[in-house]
Every structure is written in structure tokens, then in C-alpha cells.
Amino acid sequence: MSSAQLARTEGMALKPLKPSRPAFFDANKLPWAPWVIEGTHFKLLNIDKKTGGMTILLKVDAGNEAPVHGHVGGVEGYVIEGEFGYDSDRGGAGSYFYEEAASLHMPDSPRGTVMFAIAYGPIIGYNDDGSVAAIVDGKFMYDLAVKHGVAGHLAHLSDFPR
Ligand SMILES: [Fe+2]
């Protein structure tokens, strides 16, 4: 530690606090569970009870074309493997993406993909006639993770009204 750093830490009123739970979770220990669209799989990493959002790893099998869906809040993420996109707007491994709030789209992934994504609100799935087929929010995702036995690491978030 340099003398300049020492000067900044000596006499500080603040010091690191012991966290209430670990910051890290090894997602490799979590098996993939089937998601709401056939040929897609998820690992639920976090949910936001205030917004209905969620943080997930999403794996999409090759050749998958998602039905039309919308986003109440924006979604941002990072493509880890494969590639996906909408018409000519596409990204492969290493690409960052941002789907703006209120977007309505139908992505495809001919070769499959694995991505990390944070949804800042629920995802709305639509039927062909435009009616709502499903609202996928944080609680829905938590319950789905419980159903598949992959929510043990999120037990601290389990106190939903029932
Ligand atoms: Fe989307």
C-alpha cells in the first residue's frame, strides 16, 4: 500500500461491513431447467420484487424462433455462446444487447445461444391473435425455479404474499 493510499484510509470513519450473505454464487452448480418457450432453458440468478424483473442465464436450442413477446422494462444482456437477433440486427458471442422498454419482437437463433440477461420488468408473451398468453415476472420465475428444484440459492427471496 502506497503512502498516498495509507493517508486516505487512516482515520476513515467507514470500514467494510460483513455482508449478510455471500456475493458470489457458482451458477455452474445449477442445472438448466426448461423455460416457458419450448427449446429454451434457464438458470434464475436473481429477481427484483419491486419491478417484477429478473436476472437469468438463458440457453436457446438451435433453430429456435421465439413467439412474439414484449418487454415492460428494458432488457440488457451479454451473449456468451452462439448468436441470436431480429432480422439483420444480430449479435454473437461477446456481444452486448439492449432491448428497449415496450419493445415487441420475435428473435430467432438458428445456431442456438447462451446469454446472460437482466430484465427490468416482466416479459409478456402473446398469442397469434394478440391476446396475452403469459406474464413472466420475477415471482413467476421464482415459482418456476422452485417447481424444477433450482431455487434453493434464492430462498432469501421466498416471502411472497400467498
Ligand atoms: Fe426480447
Side-chain angles (χ1 to χ4, degrees), residues 16-137:
L17 299 174
K18 189 175 185 309
S20 58
R21 61 177 182 276
F24 288 89
F25 170 71
D26 183 359
N28 292 304
K29 292 178 179 171
L30 207 57
W32 291 103
W35 200 38
V36 291
I37 302 166
E38 195 175 330
T40 66
H41 320 268
F42 76 96
K43 296 184 184 190
L44 183 62
L45 302 178
N46 196 18
I47 58 172
D48 186 333
K49 291 182 174 182
K50 295 187 186 75
T51 64
M54 69 212 71
T55 303
I56 61 172
L57 285 168
L58 176 64
K59 182 167 76 169
V60 179
D61 292 344
N64 188 280
E65 185 172 278
V68 174
H69 68 270
H71 295 287
V72 174
V75 177
E76 63 182 330
Y78 180 83
V79 180
I80 299 168
E81 295 175 14
E83 180 260 12
F84 85 102
Y86 339 87
D87 299 324
S88 63
D89 186 12
R90 318 194 64 80
S95 291
Y96 165 84
F97 63 92
Y98 185 83
E99 301 176 344
E100 61 188 334
S103 57
L104 191 67
H105 52 204
M106 194 167 69
D108 63 77
S109 182
R111 294 187 289 123
T113 188
V114 176
M115 70 184 80
F116 169 82
I118 304 169
Y120 296 104
I123 302 167
I124 313 296
Y126 293 96
N127 296 310
D128 290 342
D129 65 1
S131 60
V132 172
I135 297 175
V136 178
D137 65 359

